[in-house]
Amino acid sequence: RNASLLRQWLAVYNRWARLLYRDTSYAWMRIVIILAIALLFSAVSGVPHDQPTLQSYNGSLFLGILFSASINAMLAIPHITETMLVFKKEQASRMYHPWMHAIALNCAEVPWMLINTIVHLSVFYWMAGLHSEVKYVAYYALGLSLFQMLFHDYGCMLGSMFKVTRRAALCCSATMGIFNFFSGVFFSADDIGWPGKLFYYISISRMGLSTLLPPNFYCSSSCIRSHASTLGTDCQLPLSGLDSPWTLSSEGFPTLIGEGPGCTLMADVSGRVVSKMGFAWVQQRFGMDLRAAQQPLQLTIWDYWSVMNGAEMDWITPMFVVMGVIMAMKVVTAVCLGRAARIRMSSP
């Protein structure tokens, strides 16, 4: 350990990089899995324009994004557990700082995660009909890469904590089910009571999805008064002639003029918004008394999705939250590896 930290990192990084590069079957299998997920879950595609298509679209995005990222947790566990014996022997010889073992693995995985992101973007993004504006594509690519790293660090953390593949994999599969259930897709935080709300806030699935999903439903204009700092547009009147601020989308659906893919007008036929928020809230925000009206509530895709999921559009904060959790997991992994090394050195 007399060498500098940079030299230690380079030595361990080169070894991890060679290991990952030489295991060609592992690398190809990852690409095949990502490709299969992209093809499978992009089958339900197309621009949503009503409740059924929105439900299908939301589910397709949820599963396609989540599965593409979450497989990294299970793939990372054996890298830590199956090299634990070698790691302990090298720590007994004080070859490098234990933190370098996990940090170098993360860095060696970055090129493969970028390849996974490119494969996912090349297939899933376009087949699922996601927004083609450059900044949306770039944000999605960055968010997906961070989401993959989040799950990868979670797998490394579990591997360093349990040190045996089966125990770590068992904990990973159980907690992943909990994280996915409390990911915010099936119900929002307002629908959950304590202590269940705790699982919602610590769900790493929710952290990644709250970064990637909102831009795919966002609209800068709104039918809701005082929503997203807009005055709101009256969407309950008949659209005669589609004068401003209305236009027709390329699919022929009435669309509110604004930035983002979620400006298409839809009707809340099943009354889910009023069921969730109440008649008073709907009348205050839309200026419409549903009990007296003879038509369902009309609102944009973004209005409906954000109300039902309790979501807001924020380009920056979710990214920093994910990066903060990634760094916290790296610290926990390094501490657990350091403890394992001390136990090895102190044993007779």
Side-chain angles (χ1 to χ4, degrees):
R1 292 190 193 174
N2 294 328
S4 66
L5 291 178
L6 178 59
R7 188 172 181 180
Q8 294 178 38
W9 174 82
L10 284 173
V12 184
Y13 170 80
N14 287 332
R15 185 171 61 180
W16 276 122
R18 288 195 300 269
L19 176 64
L20 294 175
Y21 177 76
R22 289 173 179 172
D23 194 352
T24 54
S25 60
Y26 170 76
W28 279 109
M29 182 60 69
R30 292 175 66 174
I31 295 175
V32 169
I33 291 174
I34 292 293
L35 181 61
I37 291 172
L39 290 171
L40 178 63
F41 293 107
S42 62
V44 182
S45 60
V47 179
H49 57 87
D50 55 21
Q51 285 179 309
T53 56
L54 178 60
Q55 188 72 17
S56 300
Y57 187 77
N58 189 46
S60 175
L61 290 186
F62 163 66
L63 294 174
I65 293 172
L66 183 63
F67 287 174
S68 296
S70 61
I71 61 170
N72 289 277
M74 296 296 291
L75 294 175
I77 289 175
H79 287 152
I80 297 295
T81 56
E82 294 177 7
T83 60
M84 189 62 68
L85 180 60
V86 175
F87 168 75
K88 289 181 178 180
K89 289 181 177 179
E90 292 176 343
Q91 289 303 297
S93 302
R94 302 180 64 84
M95 293 181 62
Y96 51 84
H97 197 282
W99 287 49
M100 294 299 107
H101 188 69
I103 294 175
L105 172 59
N106 292 150
C107 296
E109 282 278 8
V110 168
W112 299 103
M113 291 185 185
L114 292 178
I115 292 174
N116 292 344
T117 298
I118 293 172
V119 172
H120 177 91
L121 279 173
S122 301
V123 179
F124 182 84
Y125 197 92
W126 309 113
M127 289 185 65
L130 302 185
H131 200 46
S132 59
E133 192 173 338
V134 174
K135 74 174 183 179
Y136 284 82
V137 178
Y139 182 86
Y140 185 93
L142 177 60
L144 182 61
S145 299
L146 288 175
F147 200 14
Q148 292 184 80
M149 183 61 72
L150 179 67
F151 277 107
H152 182 269
D153 277 288
Y154 182 64
C156 289
M157 183 180 71
L158 293 180
S160 66
M161 290 172 64
F162 293 98
K163 303 175 184 62
V164 177
T165 301
R166 286 183 296 178
R167 289 203 297 257
L170 178 62
C171 180
C172 182
S173 59
T175 53
M176 283 300 301
I178 296 173
F179 290 156
N180 295 345
F181 184 70
F182 290 96
S183 61
V185 173
F186 303 105
F187 36 74
S188 63
D190 297 334
D191 302 322
I192 311 171
W194 293 98
K197 199 181 290 285
L198 174 65
F199 294 106
Y200 174 86
Y201 288 121
I202 67 173
S203 170
I204 59 175
S205 300
R206 180 192 61 83
M207 296 173 191
L209 291 171
S210 64
T211 303
L212 288 165
L213 286 183
N216 294 294
F217 297 92
Y218 175 66
C219 179
S220 59
S221 301
S222 175
C223 299
I224 303 177
R225 298 174 181 176
S226 302
H227 184 276
S229 71
T230 65
L231 297 177
T233 301
D234 188 355
C235 303
Q236 313 311 317
L237 299 175
L239 306 179
S240 56
L242 290 176
D243 297 327
S244 181
W246 296 97
T247 185
L248 280 177
S249 67
S250 57
E251 293 79 16
F253 302 114
T255 302
L256 190 59
I257 295 176
E259 178 192 347
C263 296
T264 303
L265 190 68
M266 61 169 284
D268 182 18
V269 178
S270 61
R272 294 190 64 193
V273 172
V274 68
S275 177
K276 177 180 176 67
M277 307 304 296
F279 285 101
W281 185 91
V282 171
Q283 185 168 5
Q284 178 186 9
R285 296 302 181 95
F286 291 91
M288 177 184 184
D289 186 357
L290 287 178
R291 285 171 290 195
Q294 299 298 317
Q295 64 178 28
L297 180 67
Q298 304 211 52
L299 66 174
T300 64
I301 295 290
W302 169 246
D303 290 335
Y304 179 86
W305 190 86
S306 61
V307 169
M308 297 308 301
N309 291 277
E312 295 182 358
M313 185 61 207
D314 188 337
W315 294 94
I316 303 299
T317 304
M319 286 280 192
F320 279 105
V321 170
V322 170
M323 288 188 285
V325 174
I326 288 174
M327 296 306 299
M329 288 182 179
K330 290 185 188 298
V331 171
V332 174
T333 302
V335 170
C336 292
L337 289 174
R339 184 174 178 273
R342 287 194 296 272
I343 292 174
R344 170 72 184 184
M345 289 186 286
S346 62
S347 61

